[in-house]
Amino acid sequence: MAVTTRQIGPCFAAEVEGVDLSRPLAADEVKAIHAGMDRYAVLVFHDQRIDDGQQLAFTQGLGDIEHAIGTSLRAPEEYRLPTTFADVSNLDQHNRVFQRDDRRRLFGLGNRLWHSDSSFKATPAKYSLLRAVSVPSRGGNTEFAYMPAAWDTLDAETKAECEPLICEHSQIFSRQQLGFTDFTDEERARFAPVRQRLVRTHPGTGRKSLYLSSHAGSIVGWPVPEARFFLRDLVEHATQREFVYAHRWKIGDLVMWDNRQTMHRARPFPAHEPRDMRRTTLMGDGPTVAQVA
Ligand SMILES: [Fe+2]
């Protein structure tokens, strides 16, 4: 059966049919998936009864993966999944739901702010692939915003202002917005800011987009409050409902998105219920801008 895509909701999201992720993909299937990602920015695969090994194999068939090492508040002995996965669950290493005030959970709540995965890394993520292993009884949707549309609909003056700007991204900035500032010196050093261009051009489509993320906390050369306000205004513009697709998860869904042209956020759900989501991530081609020593 041929791999086909069918648009769902806004122009940038599609469902994929005719592909079984439990077995190795043929070269033409991989090609069709990459083409689908260039045409859309979010692809949804339903009813994929796959395990971690199969998700990893599928991801590695698409490119080089990013490892999740030192990007959360879990100590190395508290990892529930191997570092080939980003653990986006609310579960500890024994598969128990975190207590409401557990700082690992509170840090994880940062995923509910609009962001682009790994924008806090010098080489940020290309694609993220998220698989629903267990879902809460209500809530917990993931929403996606399409950043080329956000760019296209800015006025010329704002575009010109954005074009040369370099932002600094850190998980400390995103957590600050939630009032979470309780970091150790080791964590502050580990989460040191990196630079990213505010405007980037997609290598597949040639389209420009705003590279926004809640991790962006300053603009090089700007006073911080002015930068925060400017970025907040852009996020508000970029996340208007007509640019947003909301994914309502079912077990067996795998959603793949392009972090170079979307932002996303998780929505709330009951704190005592497990939400087991496992993410594999493709590494980007390189930094968006040179770093400073
Ligand atoms: Fe994310």
Side-chain angles (χ1 to χ4, degrees):
M1 192 174 164
V3 177
T4 56
T5 49
R6 192 171 60 86
Q7 188 180 315
I8 42 172
C11 61
F12 66 98
E15 284 174 342
V16 181
E17 279 154 17
V19 61
D20 173 4
L21 303 182
S22 71
R23 52 172 187 79
L25 297 187
D28 64 319
E29 291 176 310
V30 170
K31 211 172 141 193
I33 290 169
H34 279 300
M37 283 300 280
D38 274 347
R39 174 155 175 210
Y40 301 99
V42 178
L43 291 181
V44 177
F45 302 78
H46 290 297
D47 302 317
Q48 300 293 333
R49 303 294 159 151
I50 57 172
D51 60 21
D52 288 356
Q54 289 161 328
Q55 179 177 342
L56 185 59
F58 170 54
T59 310
Q60 287 172 325
L62 298 174
D64 292 334
I65 67 155
E66 184 187 283
H67 283 254
I69 300 172
T71 51
S72 75
L73 298 192
R74 288 176 195 259
E77 67 276 13
E78 294 171 344
Y79 282 26
R80 188 177 68 102
L81 303 174
T83 59
T84 43
F85 283 80
D87 193 344
V88 199
S89 75
N90 58 347
L91 304 171
D92 70 12
Q93 69 271 37
H94 307 296
N95 283 307
R96 286 182 307 228
V97 174
F98 286 135
Q99 292 296 308
R100 194 164 183 185
D101 59 355
D102 190 301
R103 67 194 291 276
R104 294 167 297 183
R105 170 179 184 269
L106 300 179
F107 182 83
L109 293 185
N111 288 325
R112 298 185 189 181
L113 297 171
W114 287 107
H115 66 282
S116 177
D117 285 335
S118 299
S119 74
F120 50 81
K121 290 186 178 178
T123 293
K126 183 180 178 185
Y127 300 162
S128 291
L129 296 87
L130 190 62
R131 171 172 131 253
V133 176
S134 71
V135 296
S137 61
R138 59 191 161 84
N141 290 355
T142 302
E143 296 182 344
F144 298 90
Y146 188 47
M147 307 310 282
W151 172 260
D152 290 348
T153 50
L154 285 178
D155 60 79
E157 198 180 315
T158 311
K159 280 181 177 168
E161 194 171 18
C162 289
E163 198 96 49
L165 298 180
I166 307 295
C167 300
E168 292 185 309
H169 293 233
S170 163
Q171 295 201 90
I172 291 177
F173 297 142
S174 43
R175 275 59 190 182
Q176 239 173 26
Q177 293 185 42
L178 298 175
F180 184 98
T181 52
D182 150 36
F183 293 102
T184 65
D185 289 344
E186 181 276 322
E187 287 161 352
R188 281 181 193 283
R190 183 147 54 87
F191 299 141
V194 302
R195 293 185 164 194
Q196 304 291 0
R197 250 176 226 299
L198 178 58
V199 180
R200 58 191 300 192
T201 303
H202 193 277
T205 64
R207 288 184 73 177
K208 282 188 181 175
S209 66
L210 286 171
Y211 191 39
L212 290 168
S213 188
S214 63
H215 307 307
S218 66
I219 297 172
V220 175
W222 282 39
V224 169
E226 198 179 350
R228 296 270 172 111
F229 170 74
F230 186 74
L231 293 170
R232 181 180 290 210
D233 239 14
L234 290 177
V235 169
E236 236 174 67
H237 166 74
T239 56
Q240 297 174 74
R241 295 318 288 181
E242 65 259 40
F243 305 143
V244 171
Y245 163 66
H247 186 72
R248 194 173 170 166
W249 291 95
K250 288 195 295 289
I251 291 173
D253 283 351
L254 182 138
V255 179
M256 174 157 71
W257 64 88
D258 187 344
N259 288 292
R260 301 168 302 179
Q261 48 175 343
T262 55
M263 279 201 293
H264 61 281
R265 66 172 178 178
R267 301 299 290 150
F269 59 93
H272 60 280
E273 292 187 20
R275 181 176 184 265
D276 189 350
M277 309 292 286
R278 303 181 184 198
R279 192 186 93 207
T280 42
T281 314
L282 284 188
M283 211 163 69
D285 296 331
T288 63
V289 68
Q291 302 300 315
V292 282

